[in-house]
Amino acid sequence: GESVGLHLPTLSVQEGDNSIINCAYSNSASDYFIWYKQESGKGPQFIIDIRSNMDKRQGQRVTVLLNKTVKHLSLQIAATQPGDSAVYFCAENWGYQKVTFGTGTKLQVIP
Amino acid sequence: EAGVAQSPRYKIIEKRQSVAFWCNPISGHATLYWYQQILGQGPKLLIQFQNNGVVDDSQLPKDRFSAERLKGVDSTLKIQPAKLEDSAVYLCASSSIRGRTEAFFGQGTRLTVV
């Protein structure tokens, strides 16, 4: 299938290790920040979001950290599995449900 | 619940031809988005509908692209005439109006212009 990860920054992680994917955003007025996962040949899939007045939110095996001072967002995946291999995009939600995607990061899990 | 449906899955056309994509959002979702995703890049918003009204089409190349959402449900995106640089995956997404950030995406239509 089509590789959406071509030319994107790549993070290679050993299976079972933790992964940290970083994102810089630009719009200080964003209400929410969102992480999406996109597997080859598929549309993006929502993982987790965080409201702009929070600095940390945890989900199942994932944690999102928000640092508004430096406009930085990160996604931490615990105990990375082969099924986590995909391209990860951060996105900003602002205005009337406007969603703007950032540059993606390709995560490669090494068995 | 059924997901966002898009068709066709793939399309190959010659430059200067026209093409149309169709999207059926999740039932009850008032917001519908069309995104263009060029290989190796993040999705770029082309147009956003709220019911059958346009909320944002600032990045839609209106000289060649058009979109409509009749009756606030299905939507079509048209390109006429197509250019080589229009080769991309066209993604449709929908979300509910109730303040949730989660947008549900279809599998997309991969367009190749030759």
Side-chain angles (χ1 to χ4, degrees), chain A residues 18-77:
Chain A
N18 297 334
S19 303
I20 301 176
I21 301 170
N22 297 303
C23 174
Y25 65 90
S26 57
N27 188 352
S28 299
S30 295
D31 302 312
Y32 283 88
F33 299 89
I34 314 150
W35 282 99
Y36 281 89
K37 172 186 180 182
Q38 188 173 26
E39 296 173 286
S40 184
K42 297 184 179 180
Q45 178 184 11
F46 175 92
I47 302 173
I48 190 169
D49 63 5
I50 185 168
R51 195 163 183 168
S52 60
N53 62 356
M54 300 172 65
D55 52 23
K56 181 179 181 179
R57 189 174 184 206
Q58 288 184 294
Q60 187 176 16
R61 280 203 308 122
V62 295
T63 301
V64 57
L65 299 178
L66 174 62
N67 185 331
K68 293 182 289 293
T69 303
V70 295
K71 295 184 181 178
H72 183 266
L73 188 70
S74 70
L75 177 71
Q76 300 178 3
I77 304 174

Side-chain angles (χ1 to χ4, degrees), chain B residues 23-60:
Chain B
C23 173
N24 180 238
I26 292 174
S27 178
H29 280 191
T31 307
L32 184 147
Y33 310 84
W34 282 103
Y35 285 87
Q36 179 193 58
Q37 186 172 28
I38 292 173
L39 189 64
Q41 298 181 17
K44 178 184 119 177
L45 180 67
L46 293 175
I47 189 167
Q48 176 184 350
F49 291 95
Q50 186 67 33
N51 296 309
N52 60 346
V54 175
V55 174
D56 183 0
D57 63 356
S58 57
Q59 298 194 85
L60 187 73

